[in-house]
Short mmCIF file of all heavy atoms in Angstrom, two decimals:
data_model
loop_
_atom_site.label_atom_id
_atom_site.label_comp_id
_atom_site.label_asym_id
_atom_site.label_seq_id
_atom_site.Cartn_x
_atom_site.Cartn_y
_atom_site.Cartn_z
N ALA A 59 2.37 22.76 -16.93
CA ALA A 59 1.38 22.30 -15.94
C ALA A 59 0.13 21.74 -16.60
O ALA A 59 -0.43 20.73 -16.14
CB ALA A 59 1.02 23.44 -14.99
N VAL A 133 8.67 21.20 3.96
CA VAL A 133 10.02 21.17 3.42
C VAL A 133 10.60 19.78 3.67
O VAL A 133 10.56 19.27 4.80
CB VAL A 133 10.91 22.24 4.07
CG1 VAL A 133 12.37 22.07 3.63
CG2 VAL A 133 10.41 23.63 3.71
N PHE A 236 8.98 -1.01 3.39
CA PHE A 236 8.99 0.19 4.22
C PHE A 236 8.01 1.23 3.67
O PHE A 236 7.21 1.81 4.41
CB PHE A 236 10.40 0.79 4.28
CG PHE A 236 10.41 2.17 4.88
CD1 PHE A 236 10.47 2.33 6.26
CD2 PHE A 236 10.33 3.31 4.08
CE1 PHE A 236 10.44 3.61 6.82
CE2 PHE A 236 10.31 4.57 4.63
CZ PHE A 236 10.36 4.73 6.01
N SER A 331 -3.54 -27.87 13.61
CA SER A 331 -3.50 -29.10 12.84
C SER A 331 -3.96 -28.83 11.41
O SER A 331 -4.79 -27.95 11.17
CB SER A 331 -4.36 -30.20 13.48
OG SER A 331 -5.72 -29.78 13.58
N SER A 542 -17.43 -14.60 16.74
CA SER A 542 -17.66 -15.76 17.60
C SER A 542 -19.14 -16.11 17.57
O SER A 542 -19.99 -15.25 17.29
CB SER A 542 -17.22 -15.47 19.04
OG SER A 542 -17.99 -14.41 19.59
N GLU A 554 3.58 -8.49 12.15
CA GLU A 554 4.79 -7.74 12.45
C GLU A 554 5.76 -7.95 11.30
O GLU A 554 5.93 -9.08 10.83
CB GLU A 554 5.43 -8.20 13.75
CG GLU A 554 4.65 -7.84 15.00
CD GLU A 554 5.33 -8.31 16.28
OE1 GLU A 554 6.46 -8.87 16.18
OE2 GLU A 554 4.75 -8.14 17.36
#
Side-chain angles (χ1 to χ4, degrees):
V133 172
F236 169 85
S331 59
S542 63
E554 290 180 3

